């Protein structure tokens, strides 16, 4: 009986850790599936061989197209190409009635944030992966997870609630601190209006 | 050091020169400014001080009676004080700063706690408080400028030389692989809207810019120079009475007659 105090302490500690690390995120975020299943891998793979910028265009004006509009999809999928179920849904539900797909944007920032893809791609020469991870190689779209309190996407905070990332090869999270630390590291502008509007 | 310079555009010190002899008081700059910066239409109960006019056109007269009577118009906005910037020094929230890269006095409404100390400190009455939440007539919110975030009730705002346009010019240069913007791509809305081209905008440190040259003219002066705030807005006039009124420290200093 000598160690029972210690044992119950550590058992309690382990339970609380589990609740905090595994349970709490489930409670904090509300998941919503994307309106359509989409495989980046099929599009960027050998057969289709597309590049990120083929759909996510950077215009000459410096503005960024973000998630492509329906016409990008319809360019190839006006009629069935592969005959898969998701493709049929794309054509029947969106292309034929000419209705935009209501994608949920993982990296949507608050309204007062200004971010220029042009600066980061063309001048800083960052790869898409550096901020968006291996999204371009995934086969399915993960559910969009929204913070129940702030309404922000989970990608803003980062996938790990503790913000410790284990060798994902990218900065985890897209919070102001994440932007500022990289800007300071590279000695580029960190004034308020550099990234706010 | 070399990498620092390579990663940054050359620093600028943006400013304006406003020719008071050209300004005819039409107010197009005020309208263009409000539209560009998502300033909502004034509430019915708003006054000149509680309404929001980042840019306002003041009317002055020489005080003589007909036929010697003359009037002049003075567009006034944040003077972008370069030294001892009063609003920056008083803000307890660090919601105001002078951007060393552009010289623009940045206001961060999202950081502002609404104490309005900066409004008391600003010698030019260039700051405005949001007494009400913004409201647009139905349908007009579709015409909002997506490059400028609307503000909420309880915070202060002011002219920032149409910072959204600076962002756009930067992004356009970046898309072409350039760090320095093309000066023609960055012109504030008021400059563009003025039908008499009374406002000239540019980098005051770039000797080839028209703004830098006009600022050196003997007809150029600034408002309340004795405060030492080194504003980056210059005014031009060849009419002595206008200059006398505009550069006076207080209304009492102005001789009427
Ligand atoms: S004019 Fe007023 S608001 Fe503008 S920088 Fe000077 S003190 Fe600040
Ligand atoms: S009103 Fe806002 S910006 Fe002005 S001094 Fe107070 S906190 Fe700073």
């Amino acid at each position: 009986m000598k160690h029972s105090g210690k044992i119950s302490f550590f058992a309690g500690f382990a339970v609380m850790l589990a609740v905090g690390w595994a349970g709490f995120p489930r409670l904090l975020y509300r998941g919503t599936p994307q309106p359509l299943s989409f495989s980046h891998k099929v599009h960027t793979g050998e057969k289709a061989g597309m590049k990120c910028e083929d759909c996510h265009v950077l215009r000459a004006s410096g503005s960024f197209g973000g998630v492509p509009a329906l016409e990008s999809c319809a360019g190839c999928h006006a009629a069935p190409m592969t005959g898969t179920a998701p493709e049929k849904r794309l054509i029947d539900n969106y292309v034929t009635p000419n209705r935009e797909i209501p994608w949920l944007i993982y990296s949507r920032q608050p309204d007062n944030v200004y971010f220029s893809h042009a600066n980061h791609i063309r001048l800083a020469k960052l790869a898409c992966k550096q901020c968006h991870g291996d999204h371009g190689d995934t086969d399915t779209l993960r559910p969009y997870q929204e913070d129940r309190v702030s309404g922000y996407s989970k990608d803003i905070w980062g996938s790990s609630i503790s913000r410790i990332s284990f060798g994902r090869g990218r900065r985890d999270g897209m919070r102001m601190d994440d932007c500022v630390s990289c800007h300071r590291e590279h000695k580029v502008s960190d004034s308020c209006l550099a990234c706010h509007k | 050091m070399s990498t620092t310079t390579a990663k940054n555009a050359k620093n600028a010190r943006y400013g304006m020169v406003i020719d008071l002899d050209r300004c005819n008081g039409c107010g197009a700059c005020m309208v263009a400014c409000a539209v560009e910066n998502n300033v909502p239409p004034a509430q019915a109960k708003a006054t000149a001080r509680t309404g929001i006019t980042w840019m306002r056109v003041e009317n002055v007269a020489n005080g003589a009676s007909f036929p010697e009577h003359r009037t002049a118009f003075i567009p006034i906005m944040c003077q972008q004080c370069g030294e001892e910037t009063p609003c920056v020094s008083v803000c307890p929230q660090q919601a105001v700063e002078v951007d060393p890269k552009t010289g623009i006095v940045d206001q961060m409404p999202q950081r502002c706690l609404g104490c309005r100390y900066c409004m008391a400190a600003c010698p030019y009455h260039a700051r405005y408080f949001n007494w009400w939440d913004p409201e647009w007539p139905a349908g007009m919110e579709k015409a909002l400028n997506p490059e400028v975030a609307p503000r909420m009730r309880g915070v202060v705002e002011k002219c920032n030389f149409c910072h959204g346009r600076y962002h756009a010019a930067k992004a356009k240069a970046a898309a072409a692989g350039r760090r320095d913007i093309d000066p023609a791509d960055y012109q504030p809305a008021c400059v563009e809207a003025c039908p008499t081209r009374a406002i000239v905008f540019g980098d005051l440190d770039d000797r080839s810019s028209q703004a830098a040259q006009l600022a050196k003219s003997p007809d150029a002066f600034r408002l309340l120079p004795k405060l030492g705030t080194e504003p980056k807005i210059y005014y031009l006039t060849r009419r002595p009475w206008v200059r006398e009124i505009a550069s006076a420290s207080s209304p009492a200093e102005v001789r009427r007659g």
Side-chain angles (χ1 to χ4, degrees):
Chain A
M1 286 318 278
K2 203 169 100 202
H3 296 302
S4 71
K6 272 187 200 159
I7 291 169
S8 49
F9 172 79
F10 283 111
F13 192 71
V15 167
M16 290 323 283
L17 266 187
V19 168
W21 287 45
F24 181 63
R26 252 164 258 259
L27 203 72
L28 185 59
Y29 295 105
R30 179 186 20 239
T32 318
Q34 292 283 2
L36 194 70
S37 115
F38 174 85
S39 167
H40 275 94
K41 202 168 158 189
V42 165
H43 291 82
T44 55
E46 255 170 47
K47 230 166 111 194
M50 297 169 78
K51 297 212 171 55
C52 305
E53 56 271 27
D54 290 343
C55 296
H56 305 282
V57 291
L58 181 61
R59 308 186 189 97
S61 67
S63 67
F64 182 68
V67 173
L70 182 70
E71 59 177 346
S72 285
C73 311
C76 296
H77 296 279
M81 287 175 83
T82 61
T84 56
E87 190 194 34
K88 188 167 162 18
R89 267 203 303 283
L90 165 69
I91 295 174
D92 294 350
N93 296 349
Y94 302 105
V95 178
T96 313
N98 195 21
R99 198 158 69 91
E100 285 297 331
I101 311 169
W103 296 117
L104 300 163
I105 315 294
Y106 299 118
S107 45
R108 159 102 60 229
Q109 288 280 350
D111 275 353
N112 67 328
V113 175
Y114 170 76
F115 178 84
S116 158
H117 276 86
N119 287 344
H120 292 85
I121 300 171
R122 292 282 155 82
L123 298 181
K125 307 244 182 309
L126 296 188
C128 306
K129 270 190 178 33
Q130 212 142 343
C131 302
H132 298 286
D134 53 7
H135 195 56
D137 304 324
T138 53
D139 207 17
T140 52
L141 293 177
R142 61 199 155 89
Y144 171 80
Q145 287 189 296
E146 173 188 320
D147 186 315
R148 287 177 206 266
V149 180
S150 69
Y152 296 150
S153 162
K154 188 178 180 180
D155 286 39
I156 304 301
W157 180 266
S159 53
S160 141
I161 196 114
S162 62
R163 291 188 47 86
I164 302 170
S165 60
F166 298 100
R168 284 196 193 80
R170 66 170 178 123
R171 280 166 194 274
D172 197 32
M174 299 178 172
R175 298 180 321 150
M176 187 170 102
D177 281 359
D178 300 312
C179 302
V180 172
S181 71
C182 191
H183 273 227
R184 296 214 168 127
E185 208 175 289
H186 292 276
K187 298 195 169 55
V188 290
S189 183
D190 63 353
S191 68
C192 301
L193 290 193
C195 307
H196 287 286
K197 57 187 188 186
Chain B
M1 244 354 251
S2 61
T3 52
T4 312
T5 350
K7 273 183 189 152
N8 284 293
K10 67 175 189 318
N11 285 356
R13 199 166 61 87
Y14 289 110
M16 269 178 188
V17 186
I18 305 176
D19 191 335
L20 301 180
D21 299 345
R22 278 174 175 265
C23 175
N24 63 15
C26 72
C29 52
M30 293 178 65
V31 176
C33 170
V35 171
E36 171 76 18
N37 294 298
N38 293 339
V39 175
Q43 297 265 346
K45 44 193 179 273
T47 65
R49 280 316 288 155
T50 58
I52 298 181
T53 44
W54 291 14
M55 163 68 108
R56 67 182 197 274
V57 179
E58 298 284 0
N59 183 358
V60 294
N62 68 348
S65 46
F66 180 80
E68 301 311 320
H69 186 79
R70 298 286 179 274
T71 58
F73 299 94
I74 311 178
I76 296 182
M77 75 296 268
C78 168
Q79 305 287 302
Q80 309 289 346
C81 306
E83 291 289 331
E84 317 287 349
T85 312
C87 53
V88 173
S89 22
V90 300
C91 179
Q93 284 290 90
Q94 301 191 355
V96 199
E97 63 174 12
V98 182
D99 184 345
K101 304 231 186 294
T102 57
I104 298 173
V105 179
D106 290 1
Q107 169 75 15
M108 266 299 292
Q110 292 78 14
R111 228 181 214 205
C112 170
L113 63 82
C115 69
R116 289 175 278 137
Y117 196 176
C118 56
M119 292 176 66
C122 174
Y124 304 98
H125 283 212
R127 306 185 137 262
Y128 295 88
F129 184 67
N130 282 272
W131 289 95
W132 301 276
D133 266 321
E135 267 175 49
W136 282 271
M140 206 175 141
E141 70 284 346
K142 292 206 179 75
L144 287 182
N145 179 357
E147 305 307 327
V148 180
R151 283 75 52 186
M152 64 195 281
R153 176 165 52 102
V155 300
V156 164
E157 60 185 66
K158 65 156 196 86
C159 160
N160 56 21
F161 278 164
C162 290
H163 211 279
R165 294 186 174 212
Y166 177 68
H167 281 153
K170 287 280 281 182
K172 186 174 169 193
R178 285 184 286 114
R179 282 181 196 276
D180 290 313
I181 65 168
D182 177 349
D185 285 337
Y186 179 34
Q187 294 292 316
C190 55
V191 177
E192 222 171 60
C194 178
T196 63
R197 306 229 174 123
I199 313 177
V200 174
F201 175 82
D203 179 0
L204 299 174
D205 280 348
D206 172 2
R207 270 195 245 154
S208 67
S209 81
Q210 199 195 349
Q213 286 161 9
L214 285 175
K216 294 219 180 64
S217 141
D219 296 327
F221 64 96
R222 291 179 289 180
L223 301 183
L224 303 178
K226 72 169 184 193
L227 297 181
T229 53
E230 300 294 328
K232 292 190 278 289
I233 308 289
Y234 289 78
Y235 292 89
L236 280 182
T237 182
R238 283 153 293 272
R239 291 177 287 177
W241 73 268
V242 175
R243 180 154 180 165
E244 192 196 340
I245 289 179
S247 50
S249 302
S250 73
E253 257 185 35
V254 181
R255 270 183 295 108
R256 298 281 169 159

